Amino acid sequence: MIRPVLRMGDPRLWQKSRPVENFGDLKGLLVDMRDTMAHLNGAGLAAPQIGVPLRVVIFGVTANPRYPDIEPVPDTVLINPVLTPLSDEMEEGWEGCLSVPGMRGWVPRYRRLMYSGLDEHGSKFERTVDGFHARVVQHEVDHLDGVLYPMRIRDLTKFGFNEELFPGASLPPED
Ligand code: NI
């Protein structure tokens, strides 16, 4: 079922979400998250964005000729994630968010990291990633700690409405 996505200002987006303990209850949540993300053409979605304070994120970006610069990211369900940066190196890039619709900001993120967590069946997995994949994971996991990307922008002149920042451009998906 497609669920409404909470928007910045809703206090539920500032809460810290709690770990999943019972995987039996997740099925409906994951269906709703996938439906909602697909409906909005998102690159990722975190459970608190639909008002569920659990440490569950989904993300994935398929190659799209409209956005040749965007690296594909495999469709992933990540539960109770742990992020481990592999160096101090940061990289800035544009981000959008379904909870901050119509806007983009220039956000620093770790360039390389390892992430681990559980899949939807409760099996542990880990990946070492960099670049856009690493950015998407950091953005989603921030949602679980009540952090939205505008809070990480260093130069607020690089935060604004899509039409003003990128007139006439068609932009990659928000997450
Ligand atoms: Ni987001």
Side-chain angles (χ1 to χ4, degrees), residues 2-5 34-43 45 98 173-174:
I2 295 165
R3 303 264 291 261
V5 173
R34 287 191 175 108
D35 288 353
T36 304
M37 186 172 108
H39 173 69
L40 296 171
N41 236 328
L45 188 73
L98 296 172
E174 301 170 319

Side-chain angles (χ1 to χ4, degrees), residues 49 97 139 143 175:
Q49 289 181 280
C97 180
H139 177 115
H143 278 294
D175 47 10

Side-chain angles (χ1 to χ4, degrees), residues 65-84:
R66 280 172 71 198
Y67 316 117
D69 297 339
I70 293 285
E71 307 148 42
V73 177
D75 277 322
T76 302
V77 174
L78 178 61
I79 298 164
N80 300 347
V82 177
L83 305 190
T84 310

Side-chain angles (χ1 to χ4, degrees), residues 1-161:
M1 187 175 67
I2 295 165
R3 303 264 291 261
V5 173
L6 308 186
R7 295 193 303 168
M8 186 168 64
D10 189 306
R12 288 172 286 179
L13 290 171
W14 310 134
Q15 286 173 3
K16 196 170 163 72
S17 294
R18 60 178 189 274
V20 172
E21 286 166 9
N22 185 349
F23 282 76
D25 299 339
L26 279 186
K27 211 167 183 174
L29 172 64
L30 288 171
V31 168
D32 288 359
M33 288 177 69
R34 287 191 175 108
D35 288 353
T36 304
M37 186 172 108
H39 173 69
L40 296 171
N41 236 328
L45 188 73
Q49 289 181 280
I50 58 168
V52 177
L54 288 173
R55 301 187 79 78
V56 177
V57 303
I58 64 172
F59 50 85
V61 179
T62 45
N64 185 330
R66 280 172 71 198
Y67 316 117
D69 297 339
I70 293 285
E71 307 148 42
V73 177
D75 277 322
T76 302
V77 174
L78 178 61
I79 298 164
N80 300 347
V82 177
L83 305 190
T84 310
L86 295 177
S87 81
D88 292 337
E89 193 186 344
M90 307 294 282
E91 185 172 73
E92 290 193 285
W94 291 104
E95 291 186 20
C97 180
L98 296 172
S99 294
V100 192
M103 303 188 80
R104 286 288 190 281
W106 185 244
V107 182
R109 299 288 187 187
Y110 290 107
R111 205 184 73 72
R112 273 190 85 222
L113 56 83
M114 199 262 281
Y115 67 89
S116 63
L118 304 170
D119 68 14
E120 59 191 297
H121 310 293
S123 303
K124 192 167 184 206
F125 70 103
E126 63 175 52
R127 288 181 184 147
T128 298
V129 299
D130 61 12
F132 181 62
H133 190 155
R135 174 171 300 279
V136 169
V137 176
Q138 290 169 86
H139 177 115
E140 295 312 326
V141 172
D142 263 355
H143 278 294
L144 306 181
D145 293 321
V147 174
L148 299 184
Y149 80 80
M151 298 157 79
R152 296 204 180 272
I153 297 172
R154 291 169 173 158
D155 173 359
L156 284 167
T157 68
K158 289 183 171 162
F159 178 44
F161 292 96

